[in-house]
Amino acid sequence: MRLYLGISVIALALLIAASGVAAVTRGWVLPANRKPIRRPHLYGWGQLVIAIALGCQAAFGLMANGLDTRRWGALAGSVLMVTGILVIAVSQRTAGHGQRRSEP
C-alpha cells in the first residue's frame, strides 16, 4: 500500500470514529442517516468497529510485503469490517413493518 493511500484511509477512519463517538455518547447521528436509524448508540458502536477495522487494514497494509503478520492483520481488519457492517444493519429500521391499512 502506498503511503498517501494509507494516510487517506486513516483520515477516513478518524472521521468515522468521530461520528461513532458522537452517536455513542450523545445519540447524535448525521442528518442524512437519521431516518433509517432506530438505535443510534448501536449504530455508533458499529461505526467505531468500522473505524478500527480501517485503521487495522491501513496499519497492516503499510507493512513490508513478505511478512505473515501483514496477511493476518488484513484478515482481522476484514473480519472487523464485516462485524461493523452487521452491527450497523441491526441498528437500522426494518422495512415493511409499518402500520397496516384497514381494508373495508
Side-chain angles (χ1 to χ4, degrees), residues 4 12-13 32-33 39 49 53-54 60 63 68 81 84 99-100:
Y4 65 89
L12 178 66
N33 294 341
R39 292 180 245 162
V49 170
L54 284 173
F60 286 107
M63 294 177 100
D68 256 357
M81 182 75 70
Q99 296 178 352
R100 293 185 180 180

Side-chain angles (χ1 to χ4, degrees), residues 17 27 33-34 71 73 83-84 96 103:
N33 294 341
R34 282 187 191 149
R71 187 174 312 143
T83 303
E103 296 191 26

Side-chain angles (χ1 to χ4, degrees), residues 1-12 54 57-59 61-62:
M1 176 184 288
R2 304 270 184 204
L3 184 61
Y4 65 89
L5 184 59
I7 290 172
S8 61
V9 168
I10 290 174
L12 178 66
L54 284 173
Q57 286 186 345
L62 290 172

